[in-house]
Amino acid sequence: MLIGKKPDIASSEITPKSLWLDRRRFITGAAALGIGVALPREAANAGTLKFTKSPLSTKGEELTSLKDVTGYNNFYEFGTDKSDPAAYAGAMKTRPWTVEISGEVRKPVTLDIEDILKIAPIEERIYRHRCVEAWSMVVPWNGFSLSALINRVEPTSKAKFVEFTSLADSKTMPGLLLPYLDWPYREGLRMDEAMHPLTTLVVGLYGETLKNQNGAPLRLVVPWKYGFKGAKSIVRIRFLERQPATAWNTANPSEFGFYSNVNPEVDHPRWTQAKERRIGDFFRRPTLMFNGYGEQVASLYRGMDLKTFF
Ligand SMILES: Nc1nc2c(c(=O)[nH]1)N[C@H]1C(S)=C(S)[C@@H](COP(=O)(O)O)O[C@H]1N2
Ligand SMILES: [Mo]
């Protein structure tokens, strides 16, 4: 921008000094680690996201620490221990990354992650995050409503469900060798659930791009459903006329339903869902119907028996 005004000035002189200092510090650090220093200057800032605060955020809840959100994870492709994803997911390559959007849409497209980041303004959305294992967190996710992407590809009238497929890369994912699930990880939503504004495509948390263990570069978050509905590291979004098979429902249909709405009245066959342990707390707390989002989403299920459609 300044170049037009002062064509004689060297770029090093118009770069704010603080940036150069940061860059120097970054390069020194990278060199110490033996990483090549021929990185673009942007790399020094890679990871920070610009965002606005969403009115959809849950209020009055204490945030779970960044350490717990990034250190206590379920991502079975990297192992079943809560510490496995943080330990092993770093091997997954998240650039370049494309997402195939196909099926019952007028405009099927394969989008680069860089273009997905520009679909809608990134927001901070603080949501309760409830795992089917009866623990919970409160996470400041960064992302935007899935509906923004859906509107772009113009679903046909036949599109009744949306299927999400995660990456399955045997070179970097040791968990694929084990038969917990029928890989790749797949999840699904009914079209009206997918279009609900709370349903979020997440690209970051705590104002930084997602770490691999949380599902970089793109994952789903559906705050009124158990955490497993939130497929990580998504490579395909497909629009379907019929309800898709999902990884957990296929593995154990009596334990994991398609809907998976957080519901304290429908126990998992092997444990109660009436209470949960908030990570960081000692005592358990009562679980809220629809994870506390009933006011926004209960109408989606009017007339449905939620014990049958669990
Ligand atoms: N691809 C993939 N996505 C996944 C999982 C997984 O094992 N593989 N685990 C699910 C489960 S059970 C939960 S509770 C959440 C955990 O998300 P978090 O680790 O970011 O808290 O991711 C969900 N998405
Ligand atoms: Mo979970």
Side-chain angles (χ1 to χ4, degrees), residues 69 72-77 129-132 135 137 141 166 181 183 185 213-214 219 227-232 248:
V69 176
Y72 187 91
N73 300 103
N74 277 336
F75 200 162
Y76 274 22
E77 287 86 334
H129 178 47
R130 171 64 156 81
C131 177
V132 75
W135 52 262
M137 300 188 185
W141 304 108
S166 297
L181 294 172
W183 311 107
Y185 193 99
Q213 59 264 38
N214 293 105
R219 61 92 57 87
F228 69 84
K229 295 302 281 185
K232 293 180 168 181
W248 285 103

PDB file of all heavy atoms in Angstrom, residues 69 72-77 129-132 135 137 141 166 181 183 185 213-214 219 227-232 248, ligand 1:
ATOM      1  N   VAL A  69      -9.031 -29.068  26.528  1.00  0.00           N
ATOM      2  CA  VAL A  69      -9.722 -29.185  25.233  1.00  0.00           C
ATOM      3  C   VAL A  69      -8.803 -29.819  24.180  1.00  0.00           C
ATOM      4  O   VAL A  69      -9.263 -30.512  23.284  1.00  0.00           O
ATOM      5  CB  VAL A  69     -10.242 -27.805  24.753  1.00  0.00           C
ATOM      6  CG1 VAL A  69     -10.875 -27.901  23.380  1.00  0.00           C
ATOM      7  CG2 VAL A  69     -11.248 -27.233  25.736  1.00  0.00           C
ATOM      8  N   TYR A  72      -7.415 -33.889  26.032  1.00  0.00           N
ATOM      9  CA  TYR A  72      -8.331 -34.966  26.444  1.00  0.00           C
ATOM     10  C   TYR A  72      -9.322 -35.140  25.303  1.00  0.00           C
ATOM     11  O   TYR A  72     -10.290 -34.398  25.195  1.00  0.00           O
ATOM     12  CB  TYR A  72      -9.032 -34.544  27.732  1.00  0.00           C
ATOM     13  CG  TYR A  72      -9.888 -35.591  28.396  1.00  0.00           C
ATOM     14  CD1 TYR A  72      -9.351 -36.450  29.364  1.00  0.00           C
ATOM     15  CD2 TYR A  72     -11.241 -35.722  28.077  1.00  0.00           C
ATOM     16  CE1 TYR A  72     -10.150 -37.407  29.991  1.00  0.00           C
ATOM     17  CE2 TYR A  72     -12.043 -36.683  28.700  1.00  0.00           C
ATOM     18  CZ  TYR A  72     -11.486 -37.510  29.653  1.00  0.00           C
ATOM     19  OH  TYR A  72     -12.274 -38.458  30.274  1.00  0.00           O
ATOM     20  N   ASN A  73      -9.024 -36.046  24.376  1.00  0.00           N
ATOM     21  CA  ASN A  73      -9.780 -36.098  23.120  1.00  0.00           C
ATOM     22  C   ASN A  73     -10.226 -37.498  22.743  1.00  0.00           C
ATOM     23  O   ASN A  73      -9.621 -38.489  23.141  1.00  0.00           O
ATOM     24  CB  ASN A  73      -8.898 -35.578  21.963  1.00  0.00           C
ATOM     25  CG  ASN A  73      -8.454 -34.142  22.179  1.00  0.00           C
ATOM     26  OD1 ASN A  73      -7.323 -33.880  22.554  1.00  0.00           O
ATOM     27  ND2 ASN A  73      -9.371 -33.206  21.980  1.00  0.00           N
ATOM     28  N   ASN A  74     -11.265 -37.547  21.947  1.00  0.00           N
ATOM     29  CA  ASN A  74     -11.652 -38.767  21.245  1.00  0.00           C
ATOM     30  C   ASN A  74     -11.392 -38.565  19.757  1.00  0.00           C
ATOM     31  O   ASN A  74     -11.967 -37.653  19.140  1.00  0.00           O
ATOM     32  CB  ASN A  74     -13.144 -39.078  21.448  1.00  0.00           C
ATOM     33  CG  ASN A  74     -13.391 -39.811  22.757  1.00  0.00           C
ATOM     34  OD1 ASN A  74     -12.504 -40.460  23.295  1.00  0.00           O
ATOM     35  ND2 ASN A  74     -14.615 -39.714  23.266  1.00  0.00           N
ATOM     36  N   PHE A  75     -10.525 -39.372  19.204  1.00  0.00           N
ATOM     37  CA  PHE A  75     -10.227 -39.359  17.766  1.00  0.00           C
ATOM     38  C   PHE A  75      -9.614 -40.737  17.524  1.00  0.00           C
ATOM     39  O   PHE A  75      -8.398 -40.912  17.534  1.00  0.00           O
ATOM     40  CB  PHE A  75      -9.251 -38.219  17.426  1.00  0.00           C
ATOM     41  CG  PHE A  75      -9.235 -37.788  15.978  1.00  0.00           C
ATOM     42  CD1 PHE A  75      -8.687 -36.558  15.624  1.00  0.00           C
ATOM     43  CD2 PHE A  75      -9.743 -38.589  14.967  1.00  0.00           C
ATOM     44  CE1 PHE A  75      -8.661 -36.121  14.307  1.00  0.00           C
ATOM     45  CE2 PHE A  75      -9.722 -38.172  13.636  1.00  0.00           C
ATOM     46  CZ  PHE A  75      -9.173 -36.931  13.307  1.00  0.00           C
ATOM     47  N   TYR A  76     -10.526 -41.731  17.406  1.00  0.00           N
ATOM     48  CA  TYR A  76     -10.109 -43.129  17.442  1.00  0.00           C
ATOM     49  C   TYR A  76      -9.154 -43.517  16.317  1.00  0.00           C
ATOM     50  O   TYR A  76      -8.435 -44.512  16.434  1.00  0.00           O
ATOM     51  CB  TYR A  76     -11.348 -44.033  17.426  1.00  0.00           C
ATOM     52  CG  TYR A  76     -11.941 -44.284  18.797  1.00  0.00           C
ATOM     53  CD1 TYR A  76     -11.705 -43.413  19.857  1.00  0.00           C
ATOM     54  CD2 TYR A  76     -12.732 -45.408  19.034  1.00  0.00           C
ATOM     55  CE1 TYR A  76     -12.236 -43.656  21.115  1.00  0.00           C
ATOM     56  CE2 TYR A  76     -13.272 -45.667  20.284  1.00  0.00           C
ATOM     57  CZ  TYR A  76     -13.026 -44.789  21.323  1.00  0.00           C
ATOM     58  OH  TYR A  76     -13.552 -45.044  22.567  1.00  0.00           O
ATOM     59  N   GLU A  77      -9.116 -42.732  15.261  1.00  0.00           N
ATOM     60  CA  GLU A  77      -8.161 -43.004  14.189  1.00  0.00           C
ATOM     61  C   GLU A  77      -6.723 -42.979  14.722  1.00  0.00           C
ATOM     62  O   GLU A  77      -5.809 -43.545  14.124  1.00  0.00           O
ATOM     63  CB  GLU A  77      -8.305 -41.958  13.065  1.00  0.00           C
ATOM     64  CG  GLU A  77      -9.557 -42.109  12.212  1.00  0.00           C
ATOM     65  CD  GLU A  77     -10.791 -41.416  12.775  1.00  0.00           C
ATOM     66  OE1 GLU A  77     -10.881 -41.215  14.007  1.00  0.00           O
ATOM     67  OE2 GLU A  77     -11.682 -41.062  11.983  1.00  0.00           O
ATOM     68  N   HIS A 129     -20.260 -29.061  25.348  1.00  0.00           N
ATOM     69  CA  HIS A 129     -19.774 -30.164  24.511  1.00  0.00           C
ATOM     70  C   HIS A 129     -19.900 -31.423  25.363  1.00  0.00           C
ATOM     71  O   HIS A 129     -19.190 -31.567  26.356  1.00  0.00           O
ATOM     72  CB  HIS A 129     -18.308 -29.824  24.180  1.00  0.00           C
ATOM     73  CG  HIS A 129     -17.541 -30.807  23.362  1.00  0.00           C
ATOM     74  ND1 HIS A 129     -18.013 -31.387  22.210  1.00  0.00           N
ATOM     75  CD2 HIS A 129     -16.261 -31.265  23.511  1.00  0.00           C
ATOM     76  CE1 HIS A 129     -17.075 -32.168  21.698  1.00  0.00           C
ATOM     77  NE2 HIS A 129     -16.007 -32.112  22.467  1.00  0.00           N
ATOM     78  N   ARG A 130     -20.869 -32.277  25.027  1.00  0.00           N
ATOM     79  CA  ARG A 130     -21.211 -33.414  25.892  1.00  0.00           C
ATOM     80  C   ARG A 130     -20.893 -34.717  25.173  1.00  0.00           C
ATOM     81  O   ARG A 130     -21.472 -35.034  24.114  1.00  0.00           O
ATOM     82  CB  ARG A 130     -22.713 -33.324  26.237  1.00  0.00           C
ATOM     83  CG  ARG A 130     -23.333 -34.520  26.946  1.00  0.00           C
ATOM     84  CD  ARG A 130     -22.759 -34.767  28.333  1.00  0.00           C
ATOM     85  NE  ARG A 130     -23.676 -35.500  29.216  1.00  0.00           N
ATOM     86  CZ  ARG A 130     -23.847 -36.835  29.192  1.00  0.00           C
ATOM     87  NH1 ARG A 130     -23.191 -37.574  28.349  1.00  0.00           N
ATOM     88  NH2 ARG A 130     -24.688 -37.390  30.061  1.00  0.00           N
ATOM     89  N   CYS A 131     -19.983 -35.493  25.740  1.00  0.00           N
ATOM     90  CA  CYS A 131     -19.650 -36.793  25.142  1.00  0.00           C
ATOM     91  C   CYS A 131     -20.634 -37.833  25.649  1.00  0.00           C
ATOM     92  O   CYS A 131     -21.128 -37.757  26.777  1.00  0.00           O
ATOM     93  CB  CYS A 131     -18.227 -37.199  25.512  1.00  0.00           C
ATOM     94  SG  CYS A 131     -17.742 -38.819  24.889  1.00  0.00           S
ATOM     95  N   VAL A 132     -20.899 -38.831  24.822  1.00  0.00           N
ATOM     96  CA  VAL A 132     -21.781 -39.934  25.208  1.00  0.00           C
ATOM     97  C   VAL A 132     -21.209 -40.695  26.416  1.00  0.00           C
ATOM     98  O   VAL A 132     -21.937 -41.369  27.129  1.00  0.00           O
ATOM     99  CB  VAL A 132     -22.022 -40.864  23.980  1.00  0.00           C
ATOM    100  CG1 VAL A 132     -20.803 -41.720  23.690  1.00  0.00           C
ATOM    101  CG2 VAL A 132     -23.276 -41.718  24.141  1.00  0.00           C
ATOM    102  N   TRP A 135     -18.973 -37.247  30.085  1.00  0.00           N
ATOM    103  CA  TRP A 135     -18.165 -36.090  30.499  1.00  0.00           C
ATOM    104  C   TRP A 135     -18.516 -34.931  29.573  1.00  0.00           C
ATOM    105  O   TRP A 135     -19.089 -35.138  28.498  1.00  0.00           O
ATOM    106  CB  TRP A 135     -16.659 -36.375  30.467  1.00  0.00           C
ATOM    107  CG  TRP A 135     -16.117 -36.940  29.177  1.00  0.00           C
ATOM    108  CD1 TRP A 135     -15.871 -38.260  28.889  1.00  0.00           C
ATOM    109  CD2 TRP A 135     -15.750 -36.209  27.984  1.00  0.00           C
ATOM    110  NE1 TRP A 135     -15.391 -38.386  27.612  1.00  0.00           N
ATOM    111  CE2 TRP A 135     -15.299 -37.154  27.028  1.00  0.00           C
ATOM    112  CE3 TRP A 135     -15.758 -34.858  27.632  1.00  0.00           C
ATOM    113  CZ2 TRP A 135     -14.873 -36.787  25.752  1.00  0.00           C
ATOM    114  CZ3 TRP A 135     -15.325 -34.492  26.350  1.00  0.00           C
ATOM    115  CH2 TRP A 135     -14.886 -35.452  25.436  1.00  0.00           C
ATOM    116  N   MET A 137     -17.514 -30.544  28.448  1.00  0.00           N
ATOM    117  CA  MET A 137     -16.623 -29.376  28.458  1.00  0.00           C
ATOM    118  C   MET A 137     -17.450 -28.174  28.009  1.00  0.00           C
ATOM    119  O   MET A 137     -18.590 -28.325  27.575  1.00  0.00           O
ATOM    120  CB  MET A 137     -15.471 -29.559  27.459  1.00  0.00           C
ATOM    121  CG  MET A 137     -14.574 -30.757  27.703  1.00  0.00           C
ATOM    122  SD  MET A 137     -13.143 -30.681  26.600  1.00  0.00           S
ATOM    123  CE  MET A 137     -12.357 -32.249  26.989  1.00  0.00           C
ATOM    124  N   TRP A 141     -15.495 -22.464  20.369  1.00  0.00           N
ATOM    125  CA  TRP A 141     -15.151 -22.884  19.004  1.00  0.00           C
ATOM    126  C   TRP A 141     -15.064 -21.664  18.092  1.00  0.00           C
ATOM    127  O   TRP A 141     -15.696 -20.637  18.362  1.00  0.00           O
ATOM    128  CB  TRP A 141     -16.234 -23.810  18.433  1.00  0.00           C
ATOM    129  CG  TRP A 141     -16.561 -25.035  19.213  1.00  0.00           C
ATOM    130  CD1 TRP A 141     -17.700 -25.270  19.940  1.00  0.00           C
ATOM    131  CD2 TRP A 141     -15.776 -26.239  19.335  1.00  0.00           C
ATOM    132  NE1 TRP A 141     -17.668 -26.533  20.503  1.00  0.00           N
ATOM    133  CE2 TRP A 141     -16.501 -27.140  20.153  1.00  0.00           C
ATOM    134  CE3 TRP A 141     -14.533 -26.641  18.838  1.00  0.00           C
ATOM    135  CZ2 TRP A 141     -16.022 -28.414  20.476  1.00  0.00           C
ATOM    136  CZ3 TRP A 141     -14.060 -27.908  19.163  1.00  0.00           C
ATOM    137  CH2 TRP A 141     -14.797 -28.769  19.970  1.00  0.00           C
ATOM    138  N   SER A 166     -14.977 -38.530   7.410  1.00  0.00           N
ATOM    139  CA  SER A 166     -13.664 -38.089   7.889  1.00  0.00           C
ATOM    140  C   SER A 166     -12.557 -38.705   7.046  1.00  0.00           C
ATOM    141  O   SER A 166     -12.765 -39.711   6.355  1.00  0.00           O
ATOM    142  CB  SER A 166     -13.460 -38.523   9.346  1.00  0.00           C
ATOM    143  OG  SER A 166     -14.406 -37.904  10.190  1.00  0.00           O
ATOM    144  N   LEU A 181     -14.292 -49.418  14.581  1.00  0.00           N
ATOM    145  CA  LEU A 181     -15.314 -48.838  13.720  1.00  0.00           C
ATOM    146  C   LEU A 181     -15.035 -49.267  12.295  1.00  0.00           C
ATOM    147  O   LEU A 181     -13.918 -49.660  11.953  1.00  0.00           O
ATOM    148  CB  LEU A 181     -15.277 -47.303  13.803  1.00  0.00           C
ATOM    149  CG  LEU A 181     -15.659 -46.672  15.143  1.00  0.00           C
ATOM    150  CD1 LEU A 181     -15.375 -45.181  15.120  1.00  0.00           C
ATOM    151  CD2 LEU A 181     -17.130 -46.924  15.482  1.00  0.00           C
ATOM    152  N   TRP A 183     -14.193 -48.019   9.190  1.00  0.00           N
ATOM    153  CA  TRP A 183     -13.615 -46.772   8.674  1.00  0.00           C
ATOM    154  C   TRP A 183     -13.985 -46.557   7.215  1.00  0.00           C
ATOM    155  O   TRP A 183     -14.199 -47.522   6.520  1.00  0.00           O
ATOM    156  CB  TRP A 183     -12.089 -46.783   8.841  1.00  0.00           C
ATOM    157  CG  TRP A 183     -11.657 -47.173  10.205  1.00  0.00           C
ATOM    158  CD1 TRP A 183     -11.091 -48.366  10.566  1.00  0.00           C
ATOM    159  CD2 TRP A 183     -11.746 -46.402  11.405  1.00  0.00           C
ATOM    160  NE1 TRP A 183     -10.828 -48.372  11.917  1.00  0.00           N
ATOM    161  CE2 TRP A 183     -11.222 -47.191  12.443  1.00  0.00           C
ATOM    162  CE3 TRP A 183     -12.222 -45.108  11.688  1.00  0.00           C
ATOM    163  CZ2 TRP A 183     -11.155 -46.733  13.767  1.00  0.00           C
ATOM    164  CZ3 TRP A 183     -12.152 -44.661  12.983  1.00  0.00           C
ATOM    165  CH2 TRP A 183     -11.619 -45.469  14.015  1.00  0.00           C
ATOM    166  N   TYR A 185     -14.610 -42.915   9.362  1.00  0.00           N
ATOM    167  CA  TYR A 185     -15.607 -42.402  10.304  1.00  0.00           C
ATOM    168  C   TYR A 185     -16.670 -41.657   9.512  1.00  0.00           C
ATOM    169  O   TYR A 185     -16.359 -40.823   8.670  1.00  0.00           O
ATOM    170  CB  TYR A 185     -14.910 -41.437  11.257  1.00  0.00           C
ATOM    171  CG  TYR A 185     -15.705 -41.052  12.489  1.00  0.00           C
ATOM    172  CD1 TYR A 185     -15.471 -41.682  13.704  1.00  0.00           C
ATOM    173  CD2 TYR A 185     -16.642 -40.021  12.455  1.00  0.00           C
ATOM    174  CE1 TYR A 185     -16.161 -41.309  14.853  1.00  0.00           C
ATOM    175  CE2 TYR A 185     -17.335 -39.645  13.602  1.00  0.00           C
ATOM    176  CZ  TYR A 185     -17.079 -40.295  14.796  1.00  0.00           C
ATOM    177  OH  TYR A 185     -17.758 -39.919  15.927  1.00  0.00           O
ATOM    178  N   GLN A 213      -5.597 -32.818  16.777  1.00  0.00           N
ATOM    179  CA  GLN A 213      -6.352 -33.707  17.670  1.00  0.00           C
ATOM    180  C   GLN A 213      -7.815 -33.285  17.819  1.00  0.00           C
ATOM    181  O   GLN A 213      -8.661 -34.089  18.180  1.00  0.00           O
ATOM    182  CB  GLN A 213      -5.681 -33.788  19.058  1.00  0.00           C
ATOM    183  CG  GLN A 213      -5.535 -32.479  19.802  1.00  0.00           C
ATOM    184  CD  GLN A 213      -4.165 -31.861  19.592  1.00  0.00           C
ATOM    185  OE1 GLN A 213      -3.600 -31.915  18.497  1.00  0.00           O
ATOM    186  NE2 GLN A 213      -3.623 -31.270  20.648  1.00  0.00           N
ATOM    187  N   ASN A 214      -8.123 -32.033  17.509  1.00  0.00           N
ATOM    188  CA  ASN A 214      -9.517 -31.574  17.559  1.00  0.00           C
ATOM    189  C   ASN A 214     -10.215 -31.647  16.205  1.00  0.00           C
ATOM    190  O   ASN A 214     -11.367 -31.211  16.082  1.00  0.00           O
ATOM    191  CB  ASN A 214      -9.594 -30.149  18.109  1.00  0.00           C
ATOM    192  CG  ASN A 214      -9.192 -30.062  19.567  1.00  0.00           C
ATOM    193  OD1 ASN A 214      -8.104 -29.595  19.891  1.00  0.00           O
ATOM    194  ND2 ASN A 214     -10.039 -30.546  20.461  1.00  0.00           N
ATOM    195  N   ARG A 219     -14.069 -29.525  11.133  1.00  0.00           N
ATOM    196  CA  ARG A 219     -14.893 -30.547  11.790  1.00  0.00           C
ATOM    197  C   ARG A 219     -16.266 -29.955  12.066  1.00  0.00           C
ATOM    198  O   ARG A 219     -16.491 -28.750  11.963  1.00  0.00           O
ATOM    199  CB  ARG A 219     -14.212 -31.072  13.055  1.00  0.00           C
ATOM    200  CG  ARG A 219     -13.919 -30.070  14.159  1.00  0.00           C
ATOM    201  CD  ARG A 219     -14.990 -29.931  15.214  1.00  0.00           C
ATOM    202  NE  ARG A 219     -15.394 -31.082  15.941  1.00  0.00           N
ATOM    203  CZ  ARG A 219     -14.803 -31.535  17.052  1.00  0.00           C
ATOM    204  NH1 ARG A 219     -13.736 -30.930  17.548  1.00  0.00           N
ATOM    205  NH2 ARG A 219     -15.292 -32.559  17.705  1.00  0.00           N
ATOM    206  N   GLY A 227     -21.196 -35.717  21.463  1.00  0.00           N
ATOM    207  CA  GLY A 227     -20.014 -35.267  20.722  1.00  0.00           C
ATOM    208  C   GLY A 227     -19.678 -36.087  19.495  1.00  0.00           C
ATOM    209  O   GLY A 227     -19.096 -35.567  18.542  1.00  0.00           O
ATOM    210  N   PHE A 228     -20.052 -37.376  19.495  1.00  0.00           N
ATOM    211  CA  PHE A 228     -19.633 -38.209  18.357  1.00  0.00           C
ATOM    212  C   PHE A 228     -20.309 -37.821  17.053  1.00  0.00           C
ATOM    213  O   PHE A 228     -19.849 -38.223  15.976  1.00  0.00           O
ATOM    214  CB  PHE A 228     -19.779 -39.707  18.677  1.00  0.00           C
ATOM    215  CG  PHE A 228     -21.186 -40.236  18.801  1.00  0.00           C
ATOM    216  CD1 PHE A 228     -21.903 -40.622  17.680  1.00  0.00           C
ATOM    217  CD2 PHE A 228     -21.763 -40.394  20.055  1.00  0.00           C
ATOM    218  CE1 PHE A 228     -23.184 -41.149  17.803  1.00  0.00           C
ATOM    219  CE2 PHE A 228     -23.047 -40.912  20.190  1.00  0.00           C
ATOM    220  CZ  PHE A 228     -23.762 -41.283  19.056  1.00  0.00           C
ATOM    221  N   LYS A 229     -21.384 -37.006  17.117  1.00  0.00           N
ATOM    222  CA  LYS A 229     -21.982 -36.531  15.860  1.00  0.00           C
ATOM    223  C   LYS A 229     -21.033 -35.573  15.140  1.00  0.00           C
ATOM    224  O   LYS A 229     -21.167 -35.334  13.942  1.00  0.00           O
ATOM    225  CB  LYS A 229     -23.314 -35.806  16.115  1.00  0.00           C
ATOM    226  CG  LYS A 229     -24.425 -36.674  16.673  1.00  0.00           C
ATOM    227  CD  LYS A 229     -24.780 -37.856  15.803  1.00  0.00           C
ATOM    228  CE  LYS A 229     -25.661 -37.510  14.624  1.00  0.00           C
ATOM    229  NZ  LYS A 229     -26.061 -38.758  13.880  1.00  0.00           N
ATOM    230  N   GLY A 230     -20.077 -35.014  15.876  1.00  0.00           N
ATOM    231  CA  GLY A 230     -19.182 -34.000  15.327  1.00  0.00           C
ATOM    232  C   GLY A 230     -17.970 -34.601  14.648  1.00  0.00           C
ATOM    233  O   GLY A 230     -16.865 -34.648  15.200  1.00  0.00           O
ATOM    234  N   ALA A 231     -18.162 -35.072  13.415  1.00  0.00           N
ATOM    235  CA  ALA A 231     -17.072 -35.719  12.663  1.00  0.00           C
ATOM    236  C   ALA A 231     -15.883 -34.763  12.514  1.00  0.00           C
ATOM    237  O   ALA A 231     -16.056 -33.573  12.248  1.00  0.00           O
ATOM    238  CB  ALA A 231     -17.568 -36.151  11.291  1.00  0.00           C
ATOM    239  N   LYS A 232     -14.697 -35.321  12.702  1.00  0.00           N
ATOM    240  CA  LYS A 232     -13.455 -34.533  12.606  1.00  0.00           C
ATOM    241  C   LYS A 232     -12.803 -34.698  11.237  1.00  0.00           C
ATOM    242  O   LYS A 232     -13.050 -35.683  10.536  1.00  0.00           O
ATOM    243  CB  LYS A 232     -12.473 -35.007  13.682  1.00  0.00           C
ATOM    244  CG  LYS A 232     -12.945 -34.704  15.099  1.00  0.00           C
ATOM    245  CD  LYS A 232     -11.943 -35.186  16.130  1.00  0.00           C
ATOM    246  CE  LYS A 232     -12.292 -34.619  17.504  1.00  0.00           C
ATOM    247  NZ  LYS A 232     -11.315 -35.049  18.518  1.00  0.00           N
ATOM    248  N   TRP A 248     -20.814 -45.112  14.267  1.00  0.00           N
ATOM    249  CA  TRP A 248     -21.155 -45.650  15.595  1.00  0.00           C
ATOM    250  C   TRP A 248     -22.426 -46.476  15.554  1.00  0.00           C
ATOM    251  O   TRP A 248     -22.534 -47.516  16.208  1.00  0.00           O
ATOM    252  CB  TRP A 248     -21.289 -44.521  16.615  1.00  0.00           C
ATOM    253  CG  TRP A 248     -19.950 -43.974  17.010  1.00  0.00           C
ATOM    254  CD1 TRP A 248     -19.386 -42.805  16.594  1.00  0.00           C
ATOM    255  CD2 TRP A 248     -18.986 -44.605  17.858  1.00  0.00           C
ATOM    256  NE1 TRP A 248     -18.130 -42.664  17.135  1.00  0.00           N
ATOM    257  CE2 TRP A 248     -17.866 -43.745  17.912  1.00  0.00           C
ATOM    258  CE3 TRP A 248     -18.961 -45.807  18.579  1.00  0.00           C
ATOM    259  CZ2 TRP A 248     -16.718 -44.053  18.664  1.00  0.00           C
ATOM    260  CZ3 TRP A 248     -17.830 -46.105  19.327  1.00  0.00           C
ATOM    261  CH2 TRP A 248     -16.734 -45.242  19.361  1.00  0.00           C
TER     262      TRP A 248
HETATM  263  N1  LIG B   1     -13.200 -38.771  12.780  1.00  0.00           N
HETATM  264  C1  LIG B   1     -13.581 -38.810  14.067  1.00  0.00           C
HETATM  265  N2  LIG B   1     -14.382 -37.852  14.542  1.00  0.00           N
HETATM  266  C2  LIG B   1     -14.762 -37.872  15.857  1.00  0.00           C
HETATM  267  C3  LIG B   1     -14.362 -38.925  16.706  1.00  0.00           C
HETATM  268  C4  LIG B   1     -13.498 -39.927  16.181  1.00  0.00           C
HETATM  269  O1  LIG B   1     -13.088 -40.881  16.862  1.00  0.00           O
HETATM  270  N3  LIG B   1     -13.132 -39.825  14.860  1.00  0.00           N
HETATM  271  N4  LIG B   1     -14.802 -38.947  18.032  1.00  0.00           N
HETATM  272  C5  LIG B   1     -16.042 -38.229  18.329  1.00  0.00           C
HETATM  273  C6  LIG B   1     -16.337 -38.132  19.751  1.00  0.00           C
HETATM  274  S1  LIG B   1     -16.841 -39.556  20.516  1.00  0.00           S
HETATM  275  C7  LIG B   1     -16.293 -36.959  20.425  1.00  0.00           C
HETATM  276  S2  LIG B   1     -16.818 -36.849  22.058  1.00  0.00           S
HETATM  277  C8  LIG B   1     -15.735 -35.733  19.798  1.00  0.00           C
HETATM  278  C9  LIG B   1     -14.573 -35.227  20.629  1.00  0.00           C
HETATM  279  O2  LIG B   1     -14.120 -33.977  20.154  1.00  0.00           O
HETATM  280  P1  LIG B   1     -12.919 -33.258  20.902  1.00  0.00           P
HETATM  281  O3  LIG B   1     -11.808 -34.263  21.044  1.00  0.00           O
HETATM  282  O4  LIG B   1     -12.538 -32.099  20.029  1.00  0.00           O
HETATM  283  O5  LIG B   1     -13.429 -32.835  22.244  1.00  0.00           O
HETATM  284  O6  LIG B   1     -15.249 -35.961  18.463  1.00  0.00           O
HETATM  285  C10 LIG B   1     -16.059 -36.836  17.695  1.00  0.00           C
HETATM  286  N5  LIG B   1     -15.567 -36.879  16.335  1.00  0.00           N
END
